[in-house]
Amino acid sequence: MIAIGEMQISGMLTMMILSVMLMACVPHRTIHRSSFTRARWLMAAGTGLIAVQFLLQYIFGFRQMGVTQAVCCNLLFFTPASLLCGMAILYVQRQGHVVRREWLTVSGICALSVIILIGTALLDGVPLSEESTLLRMAEYAGGMLYLLMQSYIFKHQFFAYKRLEQAVDEYFDRSRRDLFGWMGWSMKTMAVLAFFVPVVIFMEGAPLVLFSIAYFFAIAYSTISLYSYGISEDITRVEEADAIEECRTENVASEQSSSATFSVLNSKLDSWIAAGHYREHNLTLRIVARQMDIPQRQLQEWLRQSEYGKLAVLVTTLRIEEAKRILKQHSDWSLETVANYCGFSSREYFHRTFRQITGTTPANF
């Protein structure tokens, strides 16, 4: 079994390294991206609080004193740390658009938990080195408040994530959820762990060790993923896809004008197909709209009302039909050549998509 002291030292050093990484080791080209800058400072503050918690646990030996003392220390630091880490992810999901009401809600829940814990510890008259029934009741209340806070954050993260899913699905010529899939894993993991907090934190031995390791790795995964996302081109691609969703509120006149031009769009689509643009690699809604010489928003609305629904379905359908033609006429071509010619990013992706749509492999076809 891992010794408590070793876990505390390892956790403290790891969280300190993550905090320093977020604060200092950032490429210059990403420093001025406001949404990522706010998110990384929030995450750095969260991991810093966890490091302080591990340090205090190690110095004062709260875990050795008893469960009550250790739980009080955990909640006092983990609650605001989880708040900061959760809001950091929300900042990235919304490109920094987090309203004051949301901050006031989560901050109020966190502050109430801290006030209950500190107030009880100061007023119940029992020395911190001894078990306190009243403090244990306060810790149960703090655990429930922690669960409430995490549920509130998860709700907003979930809706922000679904919004990104729709934006990315409609923008690219193929599924690109790999660009931000870490967000889903992070928010789901932290939400699941939150449900165990009111019970597990009072346990000792193997259950507590396993939960601590799970929480530790969840925070580490979220931190490293957020950092990697922020310094990569993935964040640029996702924000580019999400930008069109900011223009959803259009007046009735513009909607009517858009509907009146759908017949014109059909002819433009025919010309675009005839030019073979659908075979180009890495198409996006913006690129296709520019090729058709129409507004990007107008193209998106037309796709939504068409049989395709989104760009990826339209492009994939055309590419598969082209692949069938090529396979019949050029049996000497390799699958790599066919995939590249038809616009697929790789042979594996071509094979998987072809089989999904036709029910057979390209080679068998």
Side-chain angles (χ1 to χ4, degrees):
M1 181 64 69
I2 303 174
I4 294 296
E6 293 175 351
M7 285 184 56
Q8 292 167 346
I9 291 295
S10 299
M12 179 191 67
L13 293 176
T14 303
M15 290 298 119
M16 287 179 61
I17 291 172
L18 293 175
S19 294
V20 172
M21 176 187 72
L22 288 165
M23 291 186 291
C25 306
V26 180
H28 182 73
R29 61 185 171 80
T30 64
I31 291 178
H32 301 295
R33 187 185 294 275
S34 60
S35 60
F36 175 61
T37 298
R38 293 177 184 177
R40 70 184 179 89
W41 281 106
L42 287 171
M43 188 70 83
T47 52
L49 281 176
I50 297 175
V52 172
Q53 187 274 148
F54 280 127
L55 178 62
L56 292 177
Q57 289 274 18
Y58 180 77
I59 293 175
F60 294 104
F62 290 130
R63 181 59 60 181
Q64 289 77 9
M65 287 183 188
V67 175
T68 304
Q69 293 81 0
V71 168
C72 185
C73 182
N74 286 344
L75 286 173
L76 284 174
F77 285 90
F78 279 163
T79 302
S82 297
L83 182 156
L84 293 169
C85 293
M87 295 302 282
I89 295 175
L90 189 61
Y91 256 95
V92 170
Q93 290 176 316
R94 293 185 179 173
Q95 300 180 38
H97 302 308
V98 179
V99 300
R100 181 180 299 179
R101 181 185 69 257
E102 293 164 349
W103 265 115
L104 289 175
T105 301
V106 293
S107 299
I109 297 173
C110 179
L112 179 60
S113 176
V114 171
I115 291 171
I116 290 174
L117 291 170
I118 294 179
T120 303
L122 293 175
L123 299 176
D124 73 342
V126 178
L128 193 59
S129 58
E130 299 178 10
E131 288 288 333
S132 168
T133 302
L134 189 60
L135 183 58
R136 178 177 285 268
M137 296 302 296
E139 289 166 353
Y140 276 119
M144 296 306 297
L145 288 171
Y146 177 90
L147 175 59
L148 176 63
M149 181 192 75
Q150 284 295 99
S151 299
Y152 182 85
I153 294 175
F154 174 77
K155 181 189 74 171
H156 289 283
Q157 288 178 339
F158 176 79
F159 287 117
Y161 185 79
K162 298 303 290 185
R163 181 173 179 272
L164 285 181
E165 275 190 334
Q166 179 178 349
V168 170
D169 280 349
E170 292 187 351
Y171 189 74
F172 292 100
D173 61 349
R174 59 190 176 92
S175 176
R176 293 308 313 270
R177 295 184 187 183
D178 58 295
L179 296 174
F180 60 101
W182 67 271
M183 295 180 189
W185 283 104
S186 295
M187 66 185 195
K188 291 173 186 175
T189 302
M190 292 305 299
V192 169
L193 290 175
F195 280 99
F196 292 96
V197 165
V199 176
V200 176
I201 55 176
F202 294 98
M203 295 183 178
E204 297 182 86
L208 177 64
V209 171
L210 292 175
F211 177 81
S212 300
I213 292 174
Y215 182 89
F216 171 79
F217 276 105
I219 292 293
Y221 172 80
S222 299
T223 303
I224 295 172
S225 298
L226 182 141
Y227 176 82
S228 301
Y229 177 75
I231 65 174
S232 70
E233 291 300 318
D234 292 351
I235 189 172
T236 302
R237 296 188 182 100
V238 173
E239 289 183 353
E240 181 181 336
D242 192 39
I244 194 173
E245 294 300 316
E246 298 295 329
C247 305
R248 275 187 172 277
T249 53
E250 298 179 328
N251 56 44
V252 176
S254 64
E255 288 291 341
Q256 292 174 345
S257 174
S258 176
S259 299
T261 61
F262 279 178
S263 59
V264 177
L265 282 174
N266 287 320
S267 63
K268 286 183 176 288
L269 175 63
D270 292 338
S271 300
W272 181 77
I273 294 174
H277 288 303
Y278 63 89
R279 292 188 286 107
E280 297 178 12
H281 290 263
N282 301 318
L283 290 173
T284 65
L285 206 63
R286 178 175 296 177
I287 293 174
V288 175
R290 185 173 66 247
Q291 291 172 339
M292 290 185 179
D293 192 27
I294 59 175
Q296 180 176 330
R297 181 64 180 171
Q298 193 176 86
L299 174 60
Q300 185 184 43
E301 288 300 323
W302 177 83
L303 284 168
R304 285 177 177 173
Q305 298 183 38
S306 71
E307 61 182 304
Y308 304 106
K310 56 186 178 182
L311 177 66
V313 177
L314 168 65
V315 173
T316 300
T317 301
L318 295 172
R319 287 172 177 173
I320 291 297
E321 291 303 315
E322 181 69 6
K324 290 179 182 179
R325 186 184 69 82
I326 294 297
L327 289 170
K328 291 177 181 178
Q329 297 182 3
H330 301 278
S331 58
D332 57 321
W333 286 22
S334 67
L335 292 182
E336 288 88 353
T337 302
V338 175
N340 184 68
Y341 177 82
C342 295
F344 292 96
S345 56
S346 67
R347 174 181 173 175
E348 293 73 19
Y349 178 60
F350 170 53
H351 184 279
R352 184 173 64 253
T353 305
F354 192 95
R355 185 169 187 174
Q356 180 181 1
I357 293 177
T358 67
T360 186
T361 65
N364 290 337
F365 182 86

